[in-house]
């Protein structure tokens, strides 16, 4: 079975590099992208299993990007997660409001591994 | 409740008293034309006798106008007529009779604690002939305390209505101000949280990567991560310092140590720093300051202000010139830092000095920084009894000017 694929969209290069390395160490194939622009095309082209999206990005915020991605994602079953340094409560309610698969708070490598691992565990179809 | 009901009653009573509008033109309800109470007229040549009988025949008549060829030439009120006649005509009739013969024997008498609006409504509910008479005021036990003119009551009611309107407006404005303050506070907290947590998150992730590299015995990867760790720590330190500085400034807890500051020396130092920050970009940094210019102020704070402004100039200028210029006159000292950088859109100028203003618009968040620098700069300038003004044009560059008094001795420092 080929490695599960993860797309990370984050304007902060340091966070991008860290998340990429942490997840690659778990055996995932990771694609890093530094802006919300082009993320849709990349999503279609690279067909990831999961997308981590930063909230505070210039020009197009993570929430704005998700609004655009959502329609395509429903068809493919790709999982969407917010990935941010924002307050956890704010992230949780944003994830609920956007009706996506969840959120990961930056700064806790264990949480990142656990949540991504859980979401991709059996590749089970997306459910509530 | 009481007041509102009284006002409604008073207005209804007034509406009952007001006659239908005169003539075919419906006057503006807010103008005096809508408040006519009669249109009786006599000719200036009419005899007093005839006019007096007109008043006596029509008890509701308050006044008549003397009209000649449709132009008013005089006014005769019932009071004036009675006063004039009383001496002759009335005297004959009543002089030797008790006053009860000519007085209103059922006047409106109200307890002294009757609310104004109720008193006014009761007064207005009287028959037309006595509607503007004084109101008698009595104590709880019925004792006579005095009387109050209708005009006085009406005037005060008017003022009270105006006042309550103003008070309500003020209360609404206060509530709005508090809401806005709360909104700004919440936004500040959200931004501050994010700006603090972001480098902490990076440090935590980097530390974990270093740990993993150590476990694998991969020293190269450890070496690659350490500079990133140091950078993230420096960012965090800078943000923490800025937030603490701003909090101290806003709480008025920043100490000021005033002493002589040699401006040209300080500007040379600031320019050197700007050159360092400009790095490889084709930007020339020059200083233009009179030698020997000394200002009495806080050296450390002034340096912090100028370093902030110079760092911004270096950050936002990709090519051209940064000029640091000082001049002095009778009013004080001005230090201007001009650049040929990207400039600032006119729309963005108002929130330039607002904490995290840069983050408010995602389009402008293209440069590193916490977005607190200019907020701190402005607060520091006012701490030194000065101010910072900005002139800028998108695409042409910006000039930030610090204006300081010769002796920037703040109150706190003199104590």
């Amino acid at each position: 079975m080929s490695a599960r694929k993860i797309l990370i969209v984050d304007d902060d290069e340091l966070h991008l590099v860290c998340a990429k390395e942490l997840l690659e160490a778990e055996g995932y194939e990771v694609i890093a992208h530094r802006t919300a622009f082009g993320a849709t095309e990349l999503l279609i082209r690279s067909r990831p299993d999961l997308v981590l999206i930063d909230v505070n990005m210039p020009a197009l915020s993570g929430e704005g990007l998700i609004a655009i991605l959502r329609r395509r994602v429903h068809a493919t079953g790709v999982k969407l997660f917010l990935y941010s340094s924002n307050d956890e409560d704010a992230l949780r309610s944003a994830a609920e409001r956007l009706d996506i698969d969840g959120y990961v708070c930056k700064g806790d490598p264990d949480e990142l591994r656990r949540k991504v691992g859980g979401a991709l565990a059996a590749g089970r179809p997306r459910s509530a | 409740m009481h007041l509102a009901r009284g006002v409604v009653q008073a207005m209804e009573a007034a509406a009952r008293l007001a006659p239908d509008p005169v003539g075919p033109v419906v006057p503006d309800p807010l103008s005096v034309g809508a408040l006519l109470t009669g249109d009786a007229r006599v000719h200036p040549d009419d005899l007093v006798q005839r006019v007096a009988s007109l008043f006596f025949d029509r008890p509701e008549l308050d006044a008549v106008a003397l009209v000649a060829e449709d132009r008013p030439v005089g006014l005769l009120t019932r009071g004036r007529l009675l006063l004039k006649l009383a001496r002759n005509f009335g005297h004959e009739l009543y002089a030797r009779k008790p006053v009860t013969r000519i007085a209103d024997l059922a006047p409106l008498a109200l307890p002294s604690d009757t609310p104004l609006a109720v008193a006014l409504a009761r007064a207005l509910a009287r028959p037309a002939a006595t509607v503007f008479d004084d109101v008698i005021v009595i104590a709880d036990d019925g004792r006579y305390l005095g009387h109050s003119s209708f005009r006085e009551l009406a005037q005060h009611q008017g003022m009270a209505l105006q006042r309550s309107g103003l008070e309500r407006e003020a209360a609404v404005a206060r509530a709005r101000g508090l809401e806005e303050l709360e909104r700004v506070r919440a936004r500040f907290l959200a931004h501050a949280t994010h700006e603090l947590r972001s480098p902490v998150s990076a440090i935590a992730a980097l530390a974990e990567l270093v740990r993993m590299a150590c476990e694998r015995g991969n020293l190269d990867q450890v070496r690659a991560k350490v500079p990133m760790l140091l950078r993230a720590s420096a960012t965090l330190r800078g943000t923490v310092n800025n937030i603490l500085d701003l909090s101290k400034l806003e709480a008025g807890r920043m100490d000021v140590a005033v002493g002589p500051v040699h401006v040209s020396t300080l500007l040379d130092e600031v320019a050197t720093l700007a050159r360092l920050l400009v790095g490889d970009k084709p930007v020339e940094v020059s200083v233009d300051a009179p030698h020997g210019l000394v200002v009495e102020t806080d050296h450390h704070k002034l340096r912090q202000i100028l370093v902030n402004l110079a760092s911004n100039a270096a950050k936002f200028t990709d090519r051209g010139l940064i000029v640091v210029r000082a001049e002095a006159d009778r009013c004080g000292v001005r230090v201007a830092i001009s650049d040929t950088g990207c400039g600032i859109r006119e729309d963005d100028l108002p929130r330039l000095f607002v904490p995290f203003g840069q983050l408010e618009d995602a389009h402008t968040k293209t440069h590193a920084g916490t977005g607190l620098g200019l907020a701190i700069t402005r607060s520091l300038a006012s701490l030194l009894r000065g101010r910072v003004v900005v002139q800028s044009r998108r695409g042409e560059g910006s000039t930030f000017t610090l204006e300081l008094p010769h002796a920037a001795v703040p109150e706190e420092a003199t104590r």
Side-chain angles (χ1 to χ4, degrees):
Chain A
M1 198 173 94
S2 65
R4 313 304 300 271
K5 209 184 280 180
I6 298 169
L7 170 63
I8 310 173
V9 185
D10 193 333
D11 67 304
D12 187 313
E13 186 148 27
L14 185 55
H15 286 295
L16 206 55
V17 168
C18 290
K20 186 175 192 297
E21 286 195 25
L22 284 169
L23 292 172
E24 277 173 348
E26 296 295 296
Y28 302 114
E29 183 186 339
V30 181
I31 307 156
H33 190 61
R34 272 201 69 179
T35 155
F37 293 119
T40 317
E41 274 173 54
L42 195 57
L43 182 91
I44 296 164
R45 212 171 55 230
S46 60
R47 302 194 141 274
D49 300 284
L50 184 145
V51 190
L52 289 174
I53 301 164
D54 181 28
V55 175
N56 304 73
M57 286 188 289
L60 181 60
S61 72
E63 294 199 22
L65 177 60
I66 284 170
I68 293 170
L69 291 184
R70 265 246 305 266
R71 263 164 282 148
R72 302 181 181 282
V73 163
H74 271 297
T76 58
V78 178
K79 293 178 191 301
L80 296 183
F81 275 74
L82 283 175
Y83 182 54
S84 166
S85 291
N86 282 357
D87 205 58
E88 179 162 7
D89 291 338
L91 275 184
R92 187 187 303 117
S93 61
E96 280 169 15
R97 191 172 60 246
L98 293 164
D99 189 26
I100 56 172
D101 301 273
Y103 63 90
V104 181
C105 295
K106 283 182 187 174
D108 185 348
D110 284 337
E111 184 187 329
L112 177 66
R113 293 186 191 109
R114 190 163 31 88
K115 286 197 171 174
V116 168
L120 295 178
R124 55 181 179 270
R126 186 173 180 271
S127 62
Chain B
M1 287 301 282
H2 227 48
L3 184 80
R5 202 167 56 232
V7 170
V8 170
Q9 284 171 355
M11 285 169 69
E12 284 171 354
R16 277 199 304 277
L17 281 170
D20 292 337
V22 181
V25 179
V26 179
D28 183 333
L30 290 176
S31 68
V32 68
L35 303 170
L36 296 185
T37 53
D39 62 347
R41 60 168 76 185
V42 295
H43 193 272
D45 294 340
D46 280 343
L47 296 180
V48 171
Q49 211 173 352
R50 191 184 100 69
V51 180
S53 51
L54 189 67
F55 272 108
F56 292 132
D57 291 345
R58 293 175 56 188
E60 84 285 357
L61 200 63
D62 289 322
V64 295
L66 280 56
V67 181
E69 293 171 356
D70 274 341
R71 310 270 165 193
V73 296
L75 179 78
L76 184 62
T77 61
R78 178 182 292 274
R80 192 177 175 88
L81 173 91
L82 292 179
L83 195 72
K84 290 289 176 191
L85 291 187
R87 293 198 76 83
N88 311 312
F89 179 77
H91 199 269
E92 297 291 318
L93 275 173
Y94 297 116
R96 291 168 197 289
K97 301 281 195 286
V99 72
T100 48
R101 290 290 295 275
I102 59 165
D104 176 3
L105 297 181
L108 178 61
L110 297 169
S112 63
D113 59 354
T114 309
L116 177 57
V118 175
L120 205 60
R122 293 280 306 275
L124 282 166
R126 291 180 293 184
T130 55
V131 73
F132 297 124
D133 284 2
D134 287 24
V135 172
I136 291 189
V137 181
I138 52 171
D140 287 344
D141 58 3
R143 265 182 309 117
Y144 170 69
L145 292 175
H147 55 90
S148 181
S149 78
F150 179 83
R151 201 173 68 154
E152 191 70 7
L153 296 180
Q155 263 180 352
H156 278 88
Q157 175 69 347
M159 286 190 288
L161 286 175
Q162 201 176 20
R163 229 176 9 247
S164 76
L166 289 175
E167 276 164 12
R168 201 174 48 234
E169 267 172 39
V172 168
R174 236 179 357 252
R176 282 216 193 96
L178 284 175
E179 262 173 38
E180 172 63 13
L181 196 68
E182 185 50 37
R183 219 166 53 79
V184 168
R185 236 169 48 85
R187 209 166 50 204
F188 179 88
L189 191 66
H191 285 317
T193 305
H194 180 269
E195 291 305 295
L196 285 171
R197 206 176 268 153
S198 186
V200 171
S201 305
I203 291 167
L206 285 166
E208 172 68 4
L209 288 171
V210 169
R211 184 192 67 77
M212 288 157 60
C214 286
E215 259 181 20
R216 287 194 301 266
N218 190 333
L219 195 61
D220 284 346
Q221 279 193 4
V222 174
R223 278 202 195 97
K225 295 294 173 300
V226 169
M228 294 188 205
L229 252 174
L230 292 174
R231 262 206 312 278
S233 311
T235 304
L236 178 60
R237 196 187 55 218
T239 306
V240 168
N241 285 345
N242 277 345
I243 288 175
L244 291 181
D245 274 0
L246 199 61
S247 309
K248 267 204 252 174
L249 278 164
E250 290 191 348
R253 290 211 205 97
M254 189 74 97
D255 296 326
V256 178
V258 175
V261 180
H262 293 271
V263 176
S264 58
T265 314
L266 180 58
L267 293 195
D268 283 337
E269 192 190 327
V270 169
T272 305
L273 180 87
R275 282 186 199 105
L276 262 175
L277 292 172
V278 161
D280 296 337
K281 294 191 285 187
V283 178
E284 196 187 318
V285 182
S286 70
V287 179
D288 177 8
H291 277 286
L293 176 58
V294 174
V295 63
E296 286 284 328
T297 192
D298 184 312
H299 184 272
H300 177 72
K301 307 264 182 317
L302 177 57
R303 186 179 181 281
Q304 200 177 344
I305 292 170
L306 297 177
V307 164
N308 276 350
L309 294 177
S311 319
N312 277 350
K315 197 187 328 180
F316 293 102
T317 308
D318 288 335
R319 61 178 57 81
L321 209 59
I322 295 173
V323 182
V324 185
R325 186 178 286 123
E327 54 184 21
D329 60 15
R330 275 189 309 113
C331 305
V333 177
R334 279 181 306 282
V335 183
I337 298 183
S338 310
D339 64 55
T340 55
C342 61
I344 302 150
R345 277 191 317 179
E346 207 176 332
D347 294 351
D348 292 331
L349 286 174
R351 59 163 177 234
L352 205 57
F353 295 94
V354 174
F356 300 116
Q358 196 193 77
L359 290 176
E360 288 300 296
D361 180 359
H363 292 277
T364 59
K365 196 208 160 193
T366 49
H367 293 268
T370 57
L372 291 175
L374 283 177
I376 291 170
T377 301
R378 186 182 60 174
S379 296
L380 282 173
S382 63
L383 187 70
L384 300 182
R385 292 271 170 107
R387 61 177 193 147
V388 179
V389 291
V390 57
Q391 281 178 302
S392 186
R393 252 222 167 99
R394 187 81 182 141
E396 291 180 16
S398 309
T399 299
F400 285 82
T401 307
L402 170 68
E403 300 173 356
L404 284 181
H406 282 293
V409 185
E411 277 158 18
E412 296 92 282
T414 57
R415 277 188 222 137

